[in-house]
Amino acid sequence: MRKPDDSSLTASELKTVEKHAKLALDKASGWGTFPTPVDDVLAAARLRVAPRSAFDMRRLYEYAKQASADAIQKVKGALSKVLGLYDATDSIIHIDDQVGESKQKFLKLHETGHHELPAHRKIFTFFEDCEKTLAPEIADQFEREANNFARYVLFQGSTFKDMAADEVMGVKSPIKLAKKFGASNYAAFREFVRTHHRPCVVYALEPVEYVAGTGVTATVRRVETSPSFKAQFGSPDDTVISGDHPLVQLLPIGRKMTRPTNLVYRDKNGEQHECLGEAFNTIHNVFLLIYPVKSLTSSGLIASINFSVTK
Amino acid sequence: MSLRAVEEASEKEVSNAYLSQIETGKILQPSPNILNTLSEIYKIDYFQLMELAGYVSPTNARDANERHGRVATFAEHNLTPEEESELLHFLQFLRSKKPK
C-alpha cells in the first residue's frame, strides 16, 4: 500500500522547522562533518538516549511485577507499532535498537525534532495527567514537522543537494551519498530525487514477490519526484508494479542492480522522452530511479514502451 | 504592542498582515508554531491557546484509526487510546526506576 504523505508542510511551517534544525546543527558544530554527527546534535540539545530503553524486554518484565497482565499486553501492543519515542518530561528518547543503524539515526533526529521545536516539547508534557490529546490532524502535522527537522539535520540543509548536483545521475550517487551522510538508502534516495534540479523520479517498492500464475509483483511504498519531473510529467500514482506494467522489466530479480534500461515516457504535452531506468535492491526495499535523457522528435527513433504517466 | 512590534519580536515568523487577519477573524486556526511564538511574546499559556484553537481534544473523542497524540512517537501504525494510555504509565514507571 502507498504510504501516507509524511513530509508536506506549508512554506511558513517549513521555514520555522528549518530555523530550529539549523540552530540544532549550529549548536553541535555539525556543519561539514561527515557522517552527520547525530550524537553531537543530541548532546548539544541536552537530550539523552535511554541506555536501557522501553524497547528492552527486561524493562517490561520489571514492570510486570507491578502492572496487570492487561496493561502489559497493551504496552506490548504499543511498542510493536512504535520505533522511537520522546519522553518530554525527562528529555530522554527511546529507540528500537532492532532497526538498522542508519534508520536509528533518522529516528533519533526525528525525536530530537519534537524536543527542539518548542511548540512540540511544551505540549507533550501536558498529556501525562489529563485525559486529553492532540487533535489527530495536529499530531500528523507534528510528525511531518519532526521528519523535516530530521531530514534537514541529517542532510545538513542543502549540503546533500549541492553534492548530488556534482554527481552523475543514477543509482550509484544516492548510494554513495547515503554512506557519506550516514543516512539509510531509503532516506538518501528520497532526498536525492526530491531536491534534484534535473527531472527524475524514484519508486520505493516493497521487496519483489513471486506469485504463482501472475509472475513477479512489487508493491509501491512511495514515489518521489523532483520538482522539474513533476512539472513536466506529473506524479505517478501506481500502487503496484506487476503484469504488463512497463516498469516490470526494471525489477531486479535475484540481482542487486538493474543496469540503465531504455524507457519512453510521454510528458504532459504528449511529447515522448527517452528515459533511463535503473534499479537497486536492498533487503528492505527496491528502488527504481528513472530520468529522461533526451526528448524524441515525432519521427521517433525507438518505440520500446509507450509509458504515459500523465493522468 | 503594535502589530509591527510583534512582527519584529517574532523575527518575522508572524507578519503584520497575518496578525491582522487573526485579529479580524479571517484566520481562525493559526499553526501551533505560530501560537507558541505568540504565547511567548504575549506571555500567555501556550496550552490554553492550543485548546482555544481546537487542537486539543478529549482522548475519548479520537477514533482508534486516527493518529495518536499524547506521546511523541515515530510510529508505523496508530496506537489505540488504551495502548497509548498504558504506554504513558510504562514511561512513568521507567522514569521512577531511573538509575541515579
Side-chain angles (χ1 to χ4, degrees):
Chain A
M1 212 175 73
R2 289 275 290 254
K3 300 243 178 193
D5 179 2
D6 66 348
S7 52
S8 296
L9 294 177
T10 67
S12 76
E13 287 158 2
L14 187 62
K15 204 173 143 194
T16 303
V17 169
E18 293 192 339
K19 181 180 102 179
H20 289 284
K22 184 178 177 300
L23 286 172
L25 258 179
D26 288 347
K27 275 192 290 188
S29 306
W31 295 96
T33 304
F34 301 100
T36 300
V38 172
D39 291 336
D40 292 350
V41 172
L42 269 74
R46 297 175 181 274
L47 194 54
R48 291 178 308 126
V49 180
R52 295 169 65 226
S53 85
F55 295 93
D56 183 338
M57 274 302 140
R58 285 169 296 183
R59 307 307 311 266
L60 202 56
Y61 298 147
E62 288 168 30
Y63 187 48
K65 289 175 192 157
Q66 67 175 72
S68 72
D70 180 60
I72 295 297
Q73 214 47 45
K74 296 273 174 9
V75 175
K76 270 189 177 170
L79 291 174
S80 72
K81 297 176 176 178
V82 168
L83 297 176
L85 56 92
Y86 166 54
D87 182 347
T89 307
D90 231 11
S91 293
I92 197 162
I93 64 178
H94 299 259
I95 301 293
D96 184 351
D97 59 10
Q98 298 293 305
V99 304
E101 205 179 312
S102 55
K103 172 98 182 179
Q104 284 189 44
K105 286 189 183 178
F106 187 89
L107 294 172
K108 285 178 186 173
L109 292 176
H110 173 101
E111 302 307 341
T112 306
H114 289 309
H115 179 73
E116 290 288 62
L117 290 160
H120 295 210
R121 181 175 64 230
K122 286 184 195 168
I123 203 105
F124 283 118
T125 55
F126 272 99
F127 300 123
E128 286 278 322
D129 307 310
C130 64
E131 287 297 313
K132 287 181 180 167
T133 180
L134 272 184
E137 69 275 14
I138 298 299
D140 273 330
Q141 181 178 334
F142 278 12
E143 292 312 298
R144 295 196 302 274
E145 291 185 356
N147 283 339
N148 276 285
F149 179 96
R151 172 190 159 204
Y152 186 98
V153 173
L154 184 58
F155 296 120
Q156 304 187 26
S158 65
T159 309
F160 182 102
K161 174 190 172 179
D162 297 341
M163 287 183 178
D166 291 336
E167 299 285 340
V168 293
M169 176 54 79
V171 296
K172 287 191 177 142
S173 297
I175 296 169
K176 176 179 161 187
L177 291 170
K179 286 205 187 81
K180 174 148 187 116
F181 284 81
S184 65
N185 283 312
Y186 181 70
F189 267 88
R190 293 184 71 184
E191 185 71 6
F192 183 82
V193 167
R194 189 148 57 177
T195 62
H196 213 285
H197 62 284
R198 280 182 55 183
C200 51
V201 56
V202 67
Y203 285 70
L205 311 174
E206 304 282 356
V208 178
E209 290 177 291
Y210 306 89
V211 182
T214 52
V216 292
T217 179
T219 305
V220 177
R221 287 178 69 184
R222 219 175 261 294
V223 176
E224 294 283 352
T225 52
S226 69
S228 55
F229 185 94
K230 193 176 179 182
Q232 198 175 357
F233 296 92
S235 282
D237 55 7
D238 318 74
T239 54
V240 66
I241 308 292
S242 66
D244 55 3
H245 193 293
L247 295 180
V248 162
Q249 61 175 328
L250 290 186
L251 296 178
I253 315 290
R255 289 169 302 179
K256 190 95 182 140
M257 300 214 190
T258 305
R259 289 178 170 284
T261 304
N262 278 327
L263 295 163
V264 174
Y265 265 56
R266 202 190 297 266
D267 69 19
K268 284 177 173 175
N269 298 323
E271 270 177 51
Q272 299 193 101
H273 298 261
E274 185 184 334
C275 296
L276 288 176
E278 300 179 47
F280 178 57
N281 196 358
T282 71
I283 309 161
H284 310 290
N285 302 282
V286 172
F287 301 102
L288 309 181
L289 179 68
I290 299 139
Y291 45 95
V293 283
K294 69 174 175 198
S295 56
L296 299 171
T297 55
S298 51
S299 60
L301 298 167
I302 45 169
S304 54
I305 294 135
N306 269 346
F307 177 44
S308 165
V309 293
T310 51
K311 288 181 204 163
Chain B
M1 250 177 133
S2 73
L3 299 189
R4 205 161 287 288
V6 174
E7 176 175 300
E8 222 163 275
S10 74
E11 293 170 10
K12 303 227 166 125
E13 187 188 351
V14 191
S15 74
N16 175 7
Y18 189 93
L19 202 55
S20 143
Q21 285 180 296
I22 296 177
E23 287 195 343
T24 54
K26 288 201 182 90
I27 289 171
L28 293 173
Q29 291 188 305
S31 78
N33 288 316
I34 289 191
L35 290 179
N36 174 61
T37 301
L38 291 176
S39 78
E40 284 175 357
I41 292 171
Y42 288 111
K43 309 241 179 311
I44 37 178
D45 185 35
Y46 167 60
F47 191 74
Q48 205 182 349
L49 287 184
M50 289 289 281
E51 284 195 301
L52 287 170
Y55 293 159
V56 173
S57 47
T59 49
N60 57 18
R62 176 171 75 88
D63 190 284
N65 297 319
E66 293 180 306
R67 170 72 66 179
H68 52 276
R70 295 179 74 195
V71 51
T73 60
F74 185 98
E76 305 262 280
H77 304 283
N78 297 330
L79 307 185
T80 66
E82 297 77 26
E83 284 172 343
E84 188 173 31
S85 175
E86 290 303 338
L87 182 60
L88 277 168
H89 290 149
F90 181 46
L91 287 178
Q92 266 165 7
F93 165 80
L94 293 182
R95 280 202 293 272
S96 70
K97 295 283 169 183
K98 195 168 49 173
K100 297 291 170 218

